[in-house]
Amino acid sequence: MLAYIVRRLLYAIPILIGVNLITFALFFVVNSPDDMARMQLGVKRVTPEAIEKWKVERGYDKPLLWNAQAGGAARATETIFFQKSAKMFAFDFGRADDGRDIAREITTRMMPSLAVAIPVFVLGLFSAVSFALLLVYFRASYLDFAGVVLCVAMMSVSGLFYIIGGQWLVSKIWHLVPISGYAGGLDAAKFIILPVVISVIGGIGSSTRWYRTLFLEEVSKDYVRTARAKGLSERAVLFGHVLRNALIPILTGVVVLIPLLFMGSLLIESFFGIPGLGSYTIDAINAQDFAVVRAMVFIGSLLYIVGLLLTDISYTLVDPRVRLQ
Amino acid sequence: MSLLTVRDLSVAIGQARPVDGVSFDIALGETFALLGESGCGKSMTALALMRLLPDAARIGGGQVAFGGRSLAELPESEMRSLRGGGMAMIFQEPGTSLNPVMTVGRQIRESIDLHGGKLGAVELLDAVGIPDAPRRANEYPFQLSGGMKQRAMIAMALAGAPKLLIADEPTTALDVTIQAQVLDLLRELQRERRMAMLLISHDLGVVSRMSDHVGVMYAGQLVEVAPRDRFFGAAAHPYSRALFAALPDSSRRDGELASIPGSVPPLTAIFSGCRFADRCAEVRPACREAPPPWRELGDGAGAQHMVRCIRVGELPMAAPMAAAEKSALAARREGAAALLQVSDLQVHFPIRRGVLQRVVGQVRAVDGVSLELQAGRTLALVGESGCGKTTAGKAILHLQPPTGGSVRLDGRQLGGLAPRAMQMVFQDPYGSLNPRLRVGEIIAEGMRALAIGGDHSRRIAGLLGQVGLAADMAGRYPHEFSGGQRQRVAIARALAVDPRLLVLDEPTSALDVSVQAQILNLLRELQGRLGLGYLFITHNIAVVDFLAHEVAVMYLGRIVERGRAEEVLRAPRHPYTQALLSAVPRVEQDGEMRGVERVVLQGDMPSPANPPAGCHFHPRCALAVAACRSAYPDETRLTATHAVRCHLAD
Amino acid sequence: MKVVILWSDALLFLLLALVFIGGWWSRRQAHLRDAWRKVGASATAMAATTVLATFLLVGVLDSLHYRERLPDVGGVPAGSTNYSNEVLSALDAVLSPLRTRSEKTYSAPLATYLFAKESLDAGGGGRDFPRLRHGGAHLGAQLDGHGGDIAMRVLKGLGLGVALWLPLWFFARRKKLMRSGIHGDGAGDTAGPAVGAVLVTALVLLLIAGVVVALAQGYHVLGTDKVGQDVLYLTLKSIRTGLLIGTLTTLIMLPAAVLLGMLAGYVGGWVDDAIQYLYTVLNSIPGVLLIAAAVLMMQVIIDTHPEWFASSAERADARLLALCLILGVTSWTGLARLLRGETLKLREMDYVQAAQAFGVGRLAIMLRHILPNLMHIVLIALVMDFSGLVLAEAVLSYVGIGVDPNTISFGTMINAARMELAREPMVWWSLAAAFAFMFALVLAANLLADAVRDAFDPRNAG
């Protein structure tokens, strides 16, 4: 089993290199730094000097892959690829357009993101699994039918509607919590509660329906019939047998998301003015700050790969069939 | 005084009645067997007794009394304490019937806790003959072999000390040697605990071995109920008789099996008269007019023999044997050139481990198999699941590239596929036909691929006729056909390219016995007409006895005994062959044979990844001596044709 | 008039042609016909199909583009005609009153006054709500009749709706009678509830349409937006964008996903390794960020090459297609993985082995035995993805990485409207209209997708 994990860990390296190459190609090969400078400075009134200045400020004036003018190791290091892409492996992301250090910014913005994302994750999972169990307990009844209809309807509503509607109703009409903003420490609670509730409601329709399908599939299996033939009550069958089996795909399916919680949610954070990584990303996209976007792509991929690794490990922990073989 | 009384039980699924008016009684210490082909409503009857019917089905009428209490009126809570406590059930598929993520011990303890059983989980596992029970109790189902899983299921069923044990095809998914173990266990437990048992089976042999009373089910109804000895001595219903006549064995070698035309009607069918009328050889117009009433065939000894057939008095009492139509069996021609010569065939799969996935060992699925087959003859490759017989068959065709050895066809060495000369017919008639293609396209595939000229549609029509299907069926899709018809299509597909040799991989094991007879007859007829060589891969000894000229017995990737059919089957010399043959439950006309000593193998087949040293069979062999543990025996020639690999043979 | 065929129009019509060919072909395939019949027998599915068909009609009308001929002006040499720079669609022509009758700025649904006070030019200055140029103009200065006029129009509209629906009802009745005449009693009954559902849905849609048409002739039914454009017009125009993103994205990614998924599963070995590597890499980049990066880069390309596009419509169209492409590239991985898994299972099927025993080549096996048995997964993925993509468009446009800001879409509507949420009283109608239409579209798509999945998933067979 250890060998298996080591192998997965080694496999992560070429993946990360692949991601790095793709981002590099996307940001520096598809468009030359000159094109980017021209767009950022405005296509009309741009002089070659302004472009040159813009490039020097950001370190985009070097050759892409190979610096023939430099000597020794600098031939490879004094290039855009090495400075901008390869250094990311050392978590050196350079500076944003406003001059701040991106790595520092990321570490300070992680906490607000997590403050929202973790409750959303835990509550969302718990409530969706509970509702799905409820529907399965009453399967093939009107309650089940109504529940499924409600899930489909909730899935069909745009996420923006939940946010805008929720802000309008709770903050503007009822004045229960501030409409947006953030504070450190315990004060954070009043800012966090609405975004968390809205996120959970927004996601509950599709996940409940998905979990219900998983449970139903499990309910129709032979071992459930065996459990009933033992004389177990329907509730004991559901909690003692079905849940244990269905939780394996559910848990291992969500494990991949756990590291990505660091990234926060783009929409929620920007609507509620939470200074996390999600709003950082969205601001960077709007300001066309390529350095930040590049850094976030790298971090996101890294976290996803960590998530894949955790998924593999979690399988070996939760499922005896994998653990003991 | 009967423990269970069932009267007029019906199950309804919408308009359909998969169980319709079933009545029987079971007394303590007695076994009642429900016998019938698949889709007859046997399992549904059992589930209705437990009130565990699937969501769509409900009990449509009738009474069930258990220990004097009427089950229909019991509230669900009391029914629950009865399930597992009063009556317990074991199922067909031990592989899927246990919760995969719970230890076996915990699953048994659940039952103990519910019903206040006196024995602990470990004691129960011990009682069902699981070695090293304390360790096994802490293991998960996937760590147990199929036979052990079924034993664990039985232990779980025993936990609540039930009075009635319902066993739904308890050994159908198991190998024949394991089946023998489990059946013995069930009989022993029943005798010890004086349990009543409801045994559901399609296998006449199992029923013959286990039952006290037999009820034959057809299309949702019981058609005949009789004490065991009377049933096996003088079955009266045409359907029961047809089941006997369809059984392949050596006594019918030279003739044709009686087969029942058509197949079991679907659940949704609506009947006006006798349900068997459409397939019955003895049908009269009156049969179709009204449902036949029960007829009592008393023998004066108080044993009730009931038959639901209006013509029962007119039929001759002896079981109708098919007119033994002597078909000229191709005699083995000494010195004739072999059609197929396989020597030292090997298929090894590497086992990879570690960070770098290095090869750390080999699974020797096929390990040095040599065979010889002449045209027009049948060689049966016999063995239990996992012995490598299917892999060997595929390797001969080069569908699975062999890692060693040679295959010669007509003396010429094969380096790859030889599609025109060798074809395969697969086990599962549902997986072997592409559901998206019409039957005509399926049959034409080989002709197209091999660029065989001529009028394809005429040829397809001819082939369909040859396998007993109508020519206009070429335009239909596979899902419109029954299992037996699909297998006919698969045979037609193989024949389309004029092969000389067919590899038949368990072609009848997914079929009901009456349909199996149709296919076996067809295969024999085709062989006689076309002079085909058959490599018949099977675990079913009765089929071998009926069809094969030569037999090779495989154990853990190697052939342990081979020879002419009568040599291997009548005078087996390898202890494994002997055990295999004696494990097959046979239909015995009377009860005498029941007490006869049998060789029952202990334990399970080891993994081919890690076979025992020396003779692979020695850990399970009662006769093993020191030599067996150290070296694999060489082949000993007993006659010109009979050879065995056993240290004790000479 | 000069017909203009934008790239997205061409692709949409190609898609429609494919759907028709597929439909015609599947009539002759027993298993497909049975599965479609199951869909056809489901009342919810058929109601959803009716709604979707209505949306599709609007979308198709909006995809017939042309440029208007300008009236001859002096100085232009005879023989040469000038065409307007503005690309219009058949829908624009139908809705030209809505399109042209714009107000100055916001006005509420069915209002006769602007939403904001302005200093009035005439008479004593002062600030008041000015009258609308078009909304309720027929009432003249007297506004007493406002409520009554609306009520009258609603009644008229309902009447119109019923009048349009009755022929439909008669037609369905006659067909039913004919069918029961042929098959005897109850044979046509399986289609009964579905036909009823279609009729009821059609009635509801026609009633709404009738009322809207009657009202729209005198008012802005859903109000006007910041620059005075009719919101009803905007929502109807948004439908095409939503449909295109929902369908073209999947269409674009489909060949790659099917090919790579099948190759990885069937060929195995290093091909499998390479394809798996490719999609793990693509998958590991968070979707939104990959889209953001790609859209930003595409924006640079479009901006630095203005000479590629003859009109602003073409530029917006190019950006729309590019967005579909980018969404496709980021989302094919899921389908490919699914198909790979299924192919691995199919590869071991006996009928594939039987074909191998005949020496049938790899390509032929993939085409004859694997691909047809994957199509149900592809179809299910196609319908399941649609609703997600429509919803994603709104979010992406909000984030600023969606369609061109000049393209009318649900996302751009919402984006423009949310700025005004803080106003007191609130400007709610743009948002409400966009959300309501989007909800109807996505709900219908989800319901149809469910029915299609149930009918085509072999696990549900029997």
Side-chain angles (χ1 to χ4, degrees):
Chain A
M1 203 184 84
L2 193 68
Y4 173 72
I5 291 172
V6 170
R7 227 153 47 78
R8 302 300 299 176
L9 209 63
L10 291 178
Y11 186 57
I13 296 170
I15 301 275
L16 213 52
I17 292 174
V19 170
N20 202 274
L21 288 177
I22 287 185
T23 10
F24 177 73
L26 206 55
F27 280 91
F28 295 106
V29 181
V30 173
N31 292 294
S32 67
D34 286 40
D35 289 337
M36 289 194 293
R38 219 168 281 134
M39 191 189 71
Q40 280 226 322
L41 299 171
V43 182
K44 299 250 164 59
R45 41 172 206 300
V46 64
T47 59
E49 295 78 47
I51 290 179
E52 203 50 41
K53 182 164 165 276
W54 186 90
K55 278 163 62 182
V56 171
E57 272 171 10
R58 286 165 179 73
Y60 295 164
D61 54 336
K62 300 186 173 73
L64 275 185
L65 290 169
W66 188 250
N67 195 341
Q69 271 129 44
R75 283 176 195 232
T77 55
E78 286 300 309
T79 58
I80 293 183
F81 178 72
F82 186 84
Q83 296 292 331
K84 299 295 165 194
S85 280
K87 275 193 174 172
M88 286 205 212
F89 284 103
F91 296 99
D92 178 356
F93 300 114
R95 291 181 184 279
D97 281 352
D98 59 8
R100 294 194 210 180
D101 182 53
I102 297 176
R104 250 187 84 92
E105 198 76 358
I106 288 174
T107 43
T108 51
R109 280 171 173 268
M110 245 176 216
M111 282 321 290
S113 278
L114 283 179
V116 178
I118 290 178
V120 169
F121 177 78
V122 174
L123 280 177
L125 187 63
F126 179 75
S127 51
V129 168
S130 319
F131 281 129
L133 265 181
L134 188 77
L135 294 185
V136 170
Y137 188 77
F138 291 102
R139 65 184 170 279
S141 72
Y142 284 106
L143 184 75
D144 180 30
F145 179 74
V148 173
V149 169
L150 185 69
C151 284
V152 175
M154 287 182 75
M155 279 166 66
S156 305
V157 175
S158 168
L160 294 167
F161 177 81
Y162 290 116
I163 300 176
I164 294 174
Q167 276 190 328
W168 173 74
L169 191 69
V170 178
S171 298
K172 230 173 137 182
I173 304 295
W174 295 344
H175 297 289
L176 290 180
V177 291
I179 202 157
S180 70
Y182 188 75
L186 283 177
D187 289 343
K190 68 172 188 248
F191 291 105
I192 281 170
I193 191 155
L194 184 59
V196 167
V197 170
I198 286 176
S199 301
V200 169
I201 290 175
I204 206 167
S206 53
S207 36
T208 300
R209 209 171 67 121
W210 167 233
Y211 297 156
R212 174 180 168 274
T213 326
L214 283 180
F215 284 135
L216 280 184
E217 207 167 283
E218 213 60 43
V219 164
S220 65
K221 289 198 174 156
D222 283 352
Y223 72 84
V224 176
R225 191 181 53 187
T226 310
R228 290 207 189 103
K230 260 185 228 176
L232 288 174
S233 67
E234 189 61 25
R235 222 181 43 221
V237 170
L238 218 51
F239 282 94
H241 289 263
V242 174
L243 187 62
R244 285 171 70 100
N245 278 281
L247 272 183
I248 291 177
I250 293 177
L251 285 180
T252 47
V254 297
V255 161
V256 71
L257 300 176
I258 293 176
L260 288 173
L261 295 180
F262 283 103
M263 300 285 289
S265 148
L266 298 186
L267 282 187
I268 290 284
E269 290 186 13
S270 89
F271 264 100
F272 288 93
I274 290 161
L277 284 177
S279 56
Y280 189 51
T281 313
I282 221 168
D283 291 345
I285 292 172
N286 284 329
Q288 307 194 329
D289 189 335
F290 300 117
V292 176
V293 175
R294 226 167 41 229
M296 296 311 292
V297 168
F298 185 80
I299 298 265
S301 314
L302 184 69
L303 292 174
Y304 177 82
I305 292 166
V306 172
L308 286 184
L309 219 79
L310 289 181
T311 306
D312 290 335
I313 294 170
S314 70
Y315 257 115
T316 62
L317 292 180
V318 193
D319 194 333
R321 285 162 292 188
V322 182
R323 181 175 63 225
L324 298 170
Q325 256 167 10
Chain B
M1 169 65 202
S2 61
L3 173 72
L4 179 78
T5 311
V6 180
R7 286 291 168 270
D8 267 334
L9 180 69
S10 296
V11 173
I13 300 179
Q15 293 298 311
R17 303 238 153 200
V19 177
D20 196 3
V22 165
S23 307
F24 59 89
D25 304 86
I26 310 180
L28 276 175
E30 195 187 81
T31 300
F32 183 88
L34 273 181
L35 175 72
E37 295 174 283
S38 56
C40 283
K42 306 183 301 274
S43 297
M44 206 62 101
T45 307
L47 291 174
L49 297 181
M50 298 279 283
R51 287 197 7 208
L52 278 177
L53 287 169
D55 286 341
R58 58 189 172 78
I59 293 180
Q63 289 93 43
V64 179
F66 180 78
R69 291 201 293 174
S70 170
L71 294 192
E73 285 130 43
L74 279 188
E76 180 60 23
S77 60
E78 280 185 48
M79 192 65 214
R80 274 209 301 271
S81 69
L82 208 56
R83 275 183 215 131
M87 45 166 94
M89 188 159 175
I90 53 180
F91 300 95
Q92 173 171 356
E93 287 288 344
T96 56
S97 294
L98 290 169
N99 188 337
V101 298
M102 225 187 239
T103 60
V104 174
R106 242 193 96 182
Q107 295 189 55
I108 296 173
R109 266 193 296 282
E110 235 181 13
S111 206
I112 298 172
D113 294 345
L114 267 174
H115 303 291
K118 291 184 198 72
L119 293 177
V122 174
E123 288 163 290
L124 281 165
L125 285 174
D126 216 27
V128 296
I130 289 189
D132 201 1
R135 181 168 66 91
R136 292 298 184 183
N138 283 322
E139 290 193 336
Y140 291 92
F142 75 92
Q143 293 167 293
L144 272 54
S145 69
M148 278 209 269
K149 270 183 256 193
Q150 196 61 300
R151 285 174 191 265
M153 277 287 293
I154 295 171
M156 199 189 305
L158 294 179
K163 292 200 182 69
L164 170 69
L165 183 65
I166 301 176
D168 186 358
E169 304 266 11
T171 56
T172 306
L174 304 177
D175 277 319
V176 62
T177 56
I178 309 298
Q179 162 167 296
Q181 297 171 5
V182 171
L183 290 180
D184 281 356
L185 172 69
L186 280 174
R187 277 193 73 81
E188 211 173 288
L189 289 169
Q190 184 192 17
R191 207 174 305 147
E192 261 170 36
R193 297 165 187 244
R194 266 184 61 72
M195 282 188 297
M197 181 148 79
L198 174 63
L199 175 75
I200 291 170
S201 181
H202 69 285
D203 188 329
L204 277 168
V206 169
V207 171
S208 159
R209 182 139 146 196
M210 301 288 290
S211 67
D212 299 308
H213 286 270
V214 181
V216 180
M217 259 188 115
Y218 185 77
Q221 280 187 332
L222 278 173
V223 294
E224 179 163 7
V225 181
R228 182 222 170 253
D229 291 348
R230 203 170 151 82
F231 179 77
F232 283 93
H237 196 280
Y239 176 62
S240 316
R241 293 180 179 199
L243 284 181
F244 280 105
L247 272 188
D249 70 30
S250 58
S251 63
R252 299 187 174 90
R253 262 184 94 78
D254 297 334
E256 197 169 272
L257 290 173
S259 58
I260 314 179
S263 49
V264 177
L267 292 178
T268 45
I270 293 168
F271 305 94
S272 54
C274 173
R275 301 188 170 197
F276 188 58
D278 285 341
R279 303 175 70 194
C280 185
E282 308 288 342
V283 67
R284 294 289 178 274
C287 295
R288 298 183 195 275
E289 278 159 19
W294 281 108
R295 289 274 187 95
E296 164 87 57
L297 296 181
D299 61 350
Q304 282 196 318
H305 186 177
M306 313 275 285
V307 183
R308 210 190 274 244
C309 176
I310 55 171
R311 302 199 59 237
V312 68
E314 309 159 33
L315 301 174
M317 280 313 289
M321 286 289 287
E325 195 185 292
K326 290 270 178 190
S327 63
L329 278 182
R332 186 186 167 89
R333 287 158 295 160
E334 290 306 329
L339 171 66
L340 176 75
Q341 268 179 310
V342 179
S343 52
D344 203 25
L345 187 73
Q346 293 180 341
V347 183
H348 294 182
F349 299 103
I351 308 170
R352 295 172 189 278
R353 288 252 169 76
V355 177
L356 297 172
Q357 294 289 288
R358 264 202 297 259
V359 177
V360 296
Q362 302 278 343
V363 177
R364 296 161 192 267
V366 180
D367 197 17
V369 163
S370 302
L371 300 167
E372 214 178 280
L373 174 64
Q374 290 179 347
R377 291 176 66 88
T378 302
L379 167 64
L381 193 55
V382 184
E384 296 177 280
S385 57
C387 73
K389 56 190 192 300
T390 296
T391 315
K394 288 188 175 168
I396 288 172
L397 263 73
H398 281 257
L399 280 178
Q400 168 72 54
T403 40
S406 73
V407 178
R408 284 167 180 274
L409 197 74
D410 281 333
R412 287 206 358 257
Q413 171 101 24
L414 291 187
L417 283 171
R420 281 210 66 158
M422 290 196 282
Q423 279 303 316
M424 186 151 180
V425 175
F426 298 88
Q427 169 175 9
D428 174 16
Y430 291 86
S432 66
L433 304 180
N434 186 344
R436 305 293 188 237
L437 294 179
R438 288 165 210 274
V439 163
E441 296 171 294
I442 289 171
I443 296 175
E445 177 155 49
M447 294 191 265
R448 276 184 19 175
L450 297 171
I452 294 175
D455 183 351
H456 280 190
S457 55
R458 255 187 56 197
R459 203 173 142 73
I460 290 167
L463 284 163
L464 283 172
Q466 225 169 27
V467 298
L469 295 174
D472 63 354
M473 287 177 172
R476 296 211 213 146
Y477 286 94
H479 70 91
E480 297 170 66
F481 292 85
S482 68
Q485 286 175 320
R486 283 159 173 258
Q487 209 56 300
R488 288 173 191 267
V489 173
I491 293 170
R493 168 177 61 188
L495 293 180
V497 295
D498 295 321
R500 315 252 330 263
L501 173 79
L502 285 190
V503 175
L504 303 156
D505 185 9
E506 308 253 16
T508 60
S509 68
L511 305 175
D512 279 323
V513 60
S514 65
V515 181
Q516 165 174 288
Q518 299 169 8
I519 300 294
L520 291 177
N521 285 338
L522 173 68
L523 286 174
R524 165 168 285 184
E525 183 211 319
L526 289 171
Q527 185 170 50
R529 186 132 44 96
L530 306 173
L532 294 169
Y534 288 157
L535 178 64
F536 199 101
I537 297 168
T538 187
H539 67 276
N540 188 333
I541 304 292
V543 171
V544 173
D545 220 348
F546 171 70
L547 203 64
H549 305 107
E550 272 136 279
V551 178
V553 181
M554 237 178 131
Y555 188 79
L556 270 188
R558 298 193 182 182
I559 288 177
V560 295
E561 181 161 11
R562 64 195 172 95
R564 283 182 290 125
E566 53 275 22
E567 290 170 338
V568 175
L569 299 181
R570 300 290 164 270
R573 291 295 297 276
H574 198 283
Y576 175 65
T577 317
Q578 290 165 355
L580 194 64
L581 293 177
S582 88
V584 178
R586 291 183 189 277
V587 179
E588 287 134 17
Q589 301 295 322
D590 46 56
E592 288 169 26
M593 287 286 283
R594 279 214 221 172
V596 171
E597 190 70 22
R598 267 191 306 267
V599 191
V600 173
L601 279 187
Q602 297 306 311
D604 294 302
M605 193 188 292
S607 151
N610 188 18
C615 174
H616 293 343
F617 186 62
H618 85 258
R620 299 174 75 193
C621 185
L623 310 171
V625 294
C628 301
R629 289 181 193 90
S630 54
Y632 200 92
D634 290 327
E635 193 170 78
T636 312
R637 288 228 166 224
L638 303 167
T639 68
T641 48
H642 194 180
V644 66
R645 299 186 83 162
C646 178
H647 288 300
L648 306 168
D650 18 57
Chain C
M1 195 175 88
K2 186 171 149 189
V3 175
V4 178
I5 298 178
L6 298 175
W7 275 104
S8 57
D9 299 341
L11 285 173
L12 183 69
F13 291 124
L14 174 72
L15 182 66
L16 286 177
L18 285 179
V19 167
F20 278 115
I21 293 171
W24 178 76
W25 180 73
S26 64
R27 279 180 68 88
R28 309 187 316 140
Q29 306 284 311
H31 57 279
L32 293 176
R33 205 173 51 219
D34 291 350
W36 281 120
R37 208 168 273 161
K38 252 192 239 170
V39 177
S42 147
T44 33
M46 290 320 284
T49 309
T50 315
V51 175
L52 284 177
T54 315
F55 277 106
L56 188 67
L57 180 73
V58 175
V60 168
L61 277 181
D62 203 9
S63 296
L64 300 166
H65 284 109
Y66 66 95
R67 273 155 73 171
E68 225 156 33
R69 187 173 165 172
L70 291 177
D72 282 341
V73 196
V76 177
S80 80
T81 38
N82 271 345
Y83 294 100
S84 158
N85 264 336
E86 196 179 6
V87 177
L88 294 176
S89 73
L91 187 74
D92 292 322
V94 175
L95 301 178
S96 81
L98 293 183
R99 183 167 60 89
T100 50
R101 287 190 312 204
S102 58
E103 306 293 343
K104 206 166 161 194
T105 180
Y106 291 111
S107 70
L110 302 176
T112 53
Y113 289 102
L114 272 187
F115 180 66
K117 280 183 185 174
E118 279 182 11
S119 33
L120 299 177
D121 308 333
R127 289 168 61 81
D128 201 357
F129 300 103
R131 269 300 297 271
L132 292 180
R133 261 175 278 172
H134 302 286
H138 58 284
L139 296 171
Q142 245 53 41
L143 287 176
D144 309 340
H146 188 193
D149 183 54
I150 289 175
M152 273 309 295
R153 280 168 189 271
V154 168
L155 279 181
K156 244 168 71 186
L158 291 176
L160 183 68
V162 172
L164 285 172
W165 179 71
L166 280 177
L168 211 68
W169 179 68
F170 271 118
F171 179 69
R173 231 182 110 81
R174 257 193 55 194
K175 267 216 119 152
K176 192 183 171 189
L177 284 177
M178 272 166 57
R179 197 178 293 176
S180 60
I182 294 166
H183 294 294
D185 53 338
D189 271 1
T190 48
V195 173
V198 170
L199 283 179
V200 171
T201 318
L203 178 63
V204 172
L205 289 175
L206 284 171
L207 288 178
I208 294 173
V211 170
V212 168
V213 167
L215 287 171
Q217 279 158 0
Y219 301 95
H220 298 292
V221 183
L222 297 176
T224 55
D225 75 350
K226 189 172 184 179
V227 292
Q229 274 186 302
D230 190 287
V231 172
L232 177 63
Y233 172 73
L234 293 178
T235 34
L236 289 174
K237 291 285 281 182
S238 300
I239 290 172
R240 175 177 184 266
T241 318
L243 286 177
L244 282 181
I245 292 205
T247 51
L248 290 189
T249 301
T250 324
L251 187 73
I252 288 172
M253 68 151 179
L254 211 51
V258 172
L259 186 74
L260 293 179
M262 200 162 67
L263 274 180
Y266 189 73
V267 179
W270 67 267
V271 176
D272 186 21
D273 289 342
I275 294 170
Q276 280 203 70
Y277 173 73
L278 182 67
Y279 70 54
T280 315
V281 167
L282 280 179
N283 231 9
S284 60
I285 305 177
V288 185
L289 284 169
L290 184 58
I291 294 168
V295 168
L296 285 180
M297 290 307 124
M298 175 193 70
Q299 192 58 46
V300 175
I301 295 180
I302 290 178
D303 284 355
T304 47
H305 298 94
E307 70 280 3
W308 289 356
F309 309 103
S311 62
S312 63
E314 276 182 36
R315 201 179 58 223
D317 190 60
R319 174 146 178 186
L320 180 65
L321 282 183
L323 182 66
C324 289
L325 186 72
I326 291 162
L327 281 171
V329 167
T330 52
S331 63
W332 68 271
T333 53
L335 182 61
R337 185 157 40 185
L338 217 61
L339 293 176
R340 174 181 173 270
E342 190 67 18
T343 307
L344 280 177
K345 265 186 256 165
L346 290 174
R347 191 175 68 170
E348 300 304 318
M349 292 299 284
D350 286 343
Y351 57 80
V352 174
Q353 301 233 325
Q356 284 168 347
F358 288 125
V360 178
R362 278 180 174 185
L363 186 68
I365 287 182
M366 277 197 264
L367 288 179
R368 270 169 74 85
H369 296 290
I370 309 274
L371 187 61
N373 286 296
L374 293 176
M375 285 326 274
H376 68 277
I377 295 182
V378 171
L379 182 78
I380 292 170
L382 212 93
V383 291
M384 299 286 279
D385 284 355
F386 176 84
S387 47
L389 288 166
V390 173
L391 292 177
E393 185 273 330
V395 172
L396 292 178
S397 294
Y398 165 78
V399 179
I401 49 176
V403 295
D404 189 89
N406 295 321
T407 307
I408 302 170
S409 79
F410 292 126
T412 47
M413 276 180 76
I414 293 168
N415 199 15
R418 74 186 174 93
M419 303 300 171
E420 310 302 329
L421 277 179
R423 262 177 196 256
E424 210 50 66
M426 207 166 72
V427 178
W428 51 269
W429 47 88
S430 277
L431 271 180
F435 280 134
F437 270 70
M438 205 156 67
F439 177 68
L441 178 60
V442 172
L443 183 63
N446 274 334
L447 292 174
L448 181 66
D450 272 9
V452 168
R453 193 192 49 193
D454 288 350
F456 281 85
D457 195 337
R459 277 184 300 180
N460 297 327

